[in-house]
Amino acid sequence: MNPLKRPVLRSRHNALCLAAVPLLFALVFLAMPVARLLLEGMWGDPVPGLALADTGPWWRDAHLQWRVGWTLVQALVTCVVCLVLGLPMAWVLARLDFAGRLWWQRALLLPFVVPTLVAALGVLSLWGPRGWLGEPLAQAGVSVQDGPWLLLLGNVFFNLGLVVRAGSDGLAQVSAQQVALARTLGATPWRAFWRVEWPVVAPWLASAMCLVFLYCFTGFGLALVLGGQHWATVEVEIYTLIAHELALGPAAALAVAMLALTGGVAWAYAWVERRLANPARITPVARRPLRGAGCRIWALWALALGIWGLLCGAPLLALLGQGLGAAVWGQGAAVWADPDTWLALRNTLQFTGMALLLATVLGLLQALAGHALRPWPRWALAWRASAYAPLVVSPVALAFGLLLLYPQWLASLPLLVAAYALLAYPFVAKALTAALDAMPEHYAQAAATLGARPVRVFWRVTFPMVALALRRGVAFAAATMLGEFAVSLLLSRPEWLTLTTLIYQRLGRPGSANLDAALVLSASLMVLALLVFVAIEGRPDRVASQARRTGTAASATNPLA
């Protein structure tokens, strides 16, 4: 093939050079720790003197059977609830035009960039014993603290926006001509939806359901704070076995079983995403203005906005309000006189900055290598799927594998920073991959024709076109690392205290002063994360114009793109 007609960096040699660094990094800090975990889980020696080790395999233990079953049930229930609530919201966003629609669409991912520990405190601030709604409900004889409701509310808070964004993007792929033809042939709006629109939007929702299941099944922070002793999930059980009982064998066996299940779900997600990679060129259904619509449309709009506000917006407002109340009228203001607070803040910013630089480099190389492999579809598909690998392995399992494989590096700064970057760089890689796929090939070809070298083509042509996507990916990565909890809890040492571990320590101590301090710290961390969120997409109108210009509608399906 004529070199002038090749896209930037599309030779196999350049692709291998680009892929070398992220491949080596993933091998050392992901593949080898997971292999060590598999080895320990399948053939590891039992720990003597422990009851768990004497009962045989974990699947014969009634307590662990309950943990696994409940983890599966709560993930499936969350998927169903998010689907039932999210589809009407997606329809409102996709079919109606009203003031603030772009801002609402942007705010849908707001809970996702809030650290999970902060999200748990937000749910407690609204629905807990001292919550804005939980306390009046308890006085009325209705308690949501007795049972799994707090954990399910936390899961819905965290994942509802993903389903709404996916459903909205799927509805945008419905052909206006097909809907009009169905209505012309006498189909009612409801029948036209099920016969024409639902087959198109279903794969998009299936993709979101896979993500929701993975996030709920491998979640740690929400389950640790909201699940309690009875409703905790497998991830909390693995942490308990490691940190409190030193039962490494049973913990490894349990982690291996969870890896097998999440791997299957991740494979299903990659298969669905492959179908959505090249959406058809259609004329979407035009949005109709809300003004002048019928009463039923107004009622649906108000119901959708109200449900989102109650389940997703109100917990953040409640946390902010209780944090301010604890600082002004409670004992929370004293937390800023504690040297540990400033140590935790400094460590959080330092670790995030160091890991963010590494994650940006890894994500950039990962995306460019995938773009260079496009002439070889099978290799390109396998390489792009590998970007999801750090998200398939739960943070607890990852930290456990690193702990088993590199005991001599325990509590070392390079290991901690590498673990942070490993969990964050997929956000950068997937954002850049979507932008590179949407970039017209002839731009790079024209620059090469004029004599520009590949590196110059990248900096003068490619980079300016993907800069906004890079900023979005970096912002999501930064928000993820600011709130990282599981890795910090297992791999850090006392002098490397972070804000999330300090919040957890305060929650574990008795007394109202510690609870007030935890609320103040959580509200502060939420504000810090939201400041990062402001930089994710810029102005909503700018994001919308860029999506129309580049055709990257699929990038809004989930925060990884």
Side-chain angles (χ1 to χ4, degrees):
M1 182 170 56
N2 188 343
L4 296 180
K5 294 184 179 180
R6 292 183 305 184
V8 180
L9 303 178
R10 187 174 276 192
S11 71
R12 183 173 302 196
H13 173 74
N14 287 339
L16 292 176
C17 291
L18 290 169
V21 175
L23 184 62
L24 180 62
F25 183 84
L27 177 66
V28 174
F29 294 104
L30 181 64
M32 292 175 61
V34 170
R36 180 65 180 86
L37 186 63
L38 292 172
L39 182 65
E40 182 71 24
M42 294 181 178
W43 297 286
D45 296 329
V47 181
L50 288 173
L52 267 177
D54 299 334
T55 58
W58 66 266
W59 56 83
R60 296 181 183 175
D61 185 274
H63 173 72
L64 295 183
Q65 288 176 0
W66 157 253
R67 283 283 184 259
V68 174
W70 164 241
T71 304
L72 182 62
V73 168
Q74 58 91 28
L76 293 175
V77 169
T78 303
C79 289
V80 173
V81 173
C82 288
L83 178 62
V84 172
L85 297 179
L87 186 56
M89 295 184 193
W91 189 90
V92 168
L93 277 173
R95 295 291 182 260
L96 300 179
D97 193 10
F98 51 91
R101 189 187 71 86
L102 291 178
W103 287 102
W104 184 21
Q105 188 176 24
R106 184 192 190 197
L108 287 173
L109 291 181
L110 183 62
F112 189 84
V113 298
V114 173
T116 55
L117 201 61
V118 174
L121 265 294
V123 173
L124 285 176
S125 297
L126 183 65
W127 301 101
R130 292 175 48 182
W132 285 1
L133 295 179
E135 187 174 4
L137 288 175
Q139 294 175 356
V142 179
S143 176
V144 296
Q145 293 90 42
D146 301 329
W149 313 115
L150 286 178
L151 179 56
L152 293 176
L153 286 169
N155 287 340
V156 172
F157 163 83
F158 196 74
N159 295 286
L160 182 60
L162 295 178
V163 179
V164 178
R165 289 286 295 260
S168 177
D169 293 333
L171 288 169
Q173 300 301 316
V174 175
S175 171
Q177 290 84 353
Q178 293 184 5
V179 174
L181 180 61
R183 295 301 307 275
T184 302
L185 295 176
T188 62
W190 185 253
R191 186 174 180 84
F193 173 81
W194 283 112
R195 289 302 184 93
V196 178
E197 299 183 67
W198 175 253
V200 177
V201 76
W204 295 81
L205 293 174
S207 173
M209 290 297 101
C210 291
L211 280 179
V212 172
F213 182 89
L214 285 174
Y215 291 145
C216 295
F217 196 82
T218 61
F220 178 66
L222 288 176
L224 184 65
V225 177
L226 301 179
Q229 295 183 353
H230 184 67
W231 302 102
T233 61
V234 171
E235 294 300 313
V236 178
E237 187 67 28
I238 294 173
Y239 168 73
T240 303
L241 291 173
I242 298 170
H244 299 292
E245 301 182 19
L246 297 179
L248 301 186
L254 203 55
V256 167
M258 298 305 102
L259 280 175
L261 183 56
T262 55
V265 177
W267 179 87
Y269 174 71
W271 181 80
V272 175
E273 282 289 292
R274 182 181 179 184
R275 292 185 57 190
L276 303 178
N278 298 305
R281 299 291 181 179
I282 51 91
T283 301
V285 178
R287 290 189 298 270
R288 51 176 168 171
L290 181 62
R291 182 180 300 177
C295 296
R296 287 184 298 178
I297 299 298
W298 273 98
L300 180 61
W301 173 82
L303 182 62
L305 189 61
I307 291 177
W308 180 85
L310 177 64
L311 296 179
C312 300
L316 298 181
L317 293 177
L319 175 59
L320 185 60
Q322 291 214 352
L324 289 174
V328 175
W329 296 288
Q331 306 175 62
V335 73
W336 298 113
D338 188 353
D340 285 345
T341 301
W342 298 104
L343 174 65
L345 178 61
R346 182 171 64 252
N347 286 339
T348 299
L349 296 177
Q350 177 186 355
F351 297 160
T352 299
M354 296 171 64
L356 187 61
L357 180 61
L358 179 58
T360 302
V361 174
L362 292 172
L364 182 62
L365 293 175
Q366 176 89 20
L368 289 176
H371 189 66
L373 286 171
R374 290 179 68 182
W376 302 279
R378 293 184 179 180
W379 288 97
L381 180 61
W383 179 252
R384 295 184 182 206
S386 68
Y388 291 102
L391 303 176
V392 174
V393 183
S394 70
V396 173
L398 173 64
F400 187 20
L402 293 171
L403 182 67
L404 291 174
L405 184 63
Y406 306 115
Q408 70 278 11
W409 291 0
L410 179 62
S412 65
L413 183 60
L415 185 64
L416 186 64
V417 171
Y420 269 51
L422 182 68
L423 295 174
Y425 90 86
F427 293 91
V428 181
K430 300 307 295 183
L432 282 174
T433 298
L436 288 171
D437 289 343
M439 190 182 70
E441 295 283 355
H442 62 272
Y443 288 178
Q445 294 171 4
T449 303
L450 294 175
R453 295 179 178 271
V455 176
R456 185 174 179 83
V457 172
F458 172 76
W459 285 112
R460 298 298 296 271
V461 178
T462 305
F463 184 77
M465 296 190 67
V466 301
L468 186 57
L470 176 62
R471 191 183 71 181
R472 292 185 62 199
V474 168
F476 269 112
T480 299
M481 288 182 286
L482 281 173
E484 176 50 45
F485 178 51
V487 169
S488 303
L489 199 60
L490 286 171
L491 296 182
S492 66
R493 55 192 187 190
E495 60 268 29
W496 289 350
L497 188 70
T498 62
L499 286 175
T500 52
T501 52
L502 181 59
I503 293 171
Y504 182 64
Q505 289 179 7
R506 289 287 189 169
L507 286 175
R509 299 172 187 171
S512 59
N514 287 305
L515 180 58
D516 288 345
L519 289 171
V520 172
L521 289 172
S522 298
S524 303
L525 183 57
M526 181 185 73
V527 172
L528 184 61
L530 294 185
L531 289 177
V532 174
F533 176 75
V534 171
I536 289 176
E537 292 179 314
R539 299 191 309 271
D541 53 347
R542 183 181 179 186
V543 177
S545 64
Q546 192 230 17
R548 289 192 297 267
R549 184 174 65 254
T550 61
T552 55
S555 65
T557 303
N558 63 76
L560 304 181

